[in-house]
Amino acid sequence: MFKNEYQGGAFVEIFSAQGKNPGAKWKILGSPSVIWKEFDKEVKSFVFVLEGSSQTNKIQLPKENKQSLGLIQRFLVLQIYVPLGQDFSTELLITDLGNIKRRLYLSTVHKELSSTPLHAKIPLFMIKRKIWCNLCIDLVAFTSEIFKGAVFQSLDGIVVSANCKLRKIFTLKSKPQDTADKDGNSAPWNS
């Protein structure tokens, strides 16, 4: 999807809740009663809301499993709000320089890191709840640390599961500035 597009800029936008139909390019799994777009007063922006079971209610890009995103920038950022007491997960399909496809499954359900040569379950115990935050994932570091010796080539698929509010998803070429204050709280952004 993005393989033949210019990715040399500072960022590549994958998802934005703005516009008439923000989920048009995404495969939406779940009924309209549990996945919808709404205006969030705190961030003064439209957001995508995913509620209910994280097993059945999710959004996936690309729509078709045979397609590939081909995103090459190092950092993946999800502008996200996870409610208190709710579980959240995201699944990333990556390809390394040996053209081996691997899955990173990041979830608040996992208590410890576990991995096989093709699959990793990564706990998200550090994610802030009941506050908007930028969840930033260093795809190069995750790939080399979890899959010893593997070198990140591209992000080829992403699945975001309930429960969360989602404002944007994008990749960055350079490490983003830390926006947390001294207490570790992120301030809402206005962009």
Side-chain angles (χ1 to χ4, degrees):
M1 287 184 74
F2 294 92
K3 191 173 188 171
N4 297 324
E5 292 187 26
Y6 177 71
Q7 295 186 49
F11 71 95
V12 175
E13 188 171 88
I14 304 168
F15 171 82
S16 173
Q18 308 309 306
K20 187 176 179 182
N21 189 0
K25 294 180 182 175
W26 290 72
K27 182 177 188 177
I28 299 175
L29 304 155
S31 73
S33 65
V34 292
I35 300 175
W36 72 91
K37 178 178 142 177
E38 73 179 20
F39 187 80
D40 187 289
K41 291 178 185 173
E42 185 179 1
V43 292
K44 300 177 182 90
S45 175
F46 282 100
V47 299
F48 226 55
V49 180
L50 291 89
E51 288 186 345
S53 167
S54 61
Q55 299 297 314
T56 57
N57 303 328
K58 49 185 109 179
I59 59 174
Q60 170 188 310
L61 190 70
K63 272 186 178 181
E64 303 300 324
N65 291 335
K66 292 179 178 144
Q67 290 181 314
S68 171
L69 293 179
L71 290 160
I72 58 172
Q73 291 187 335
R74 177 176 188 151
F75 298 95
L76 175 68
V77 179
L78 288 85
Q79 291 183 337
I80 197 162
Y81 177 99
V82 179
L84 206 56
Q86 300 289 324
D87 289 320
F88 163 76
S89 63
T90 186
E91 188 174 337
L92 309 175
L93 175 62
I94 59 169
T95 302
D96 69 15
L97 281 179
N99 280 330
I100 298 171
K101 297 206 180 301
R102 303 171 191 266
R103 290 192 185 278
L104 298 172
Y105 185 63
L106 297 90
S107 178
T108 56
V109 172
H110 304 312
K111 301 300 178 221
E112 59 185 43
L113 175 69
S114 67
S115 66
T116 68
L118 300 176
H119 189 267
K121 293 179 180 178
I122 304 159
L124 277 179
F125 54 83
M126 78 303 205
I127 197 165
K128 300 281 185 202
R129 307 289 186 117
K130 206 176 166 191
I131 189 166
W132 280 98
C133 66
N134 290 326
L135 175 61
C136 182
I137 301 161
D138 184 341
L139 298 167
V140 171
F142 269 50
T143 303
S144 65
E145 288 293 319
I146 294 170
F147 306 112
K148 302 294 182 213
V151 179
F152 173 78
Q153 177 177 290
S154 62
L155 172 63
D156 291 320
I158 182 167
V159 177
V160 179
S161 300
N163 288 282
C164 68
K165 291 182 182 180
L166 189 60
R167 183 173 180 254
K168 287 187 180 188
I169 303 174
F170 52 93
T171 61
L172 290 171
K173 188 184 337 187
S174 305
K175 185 176 180 182
Q177 183 177 342
D178 190 351
T179 57
D181 63 21
K182 63 182 178 355
D183 298 326
N185 296 322
S186 298
W189 51 85
N190 292 316
S191 62

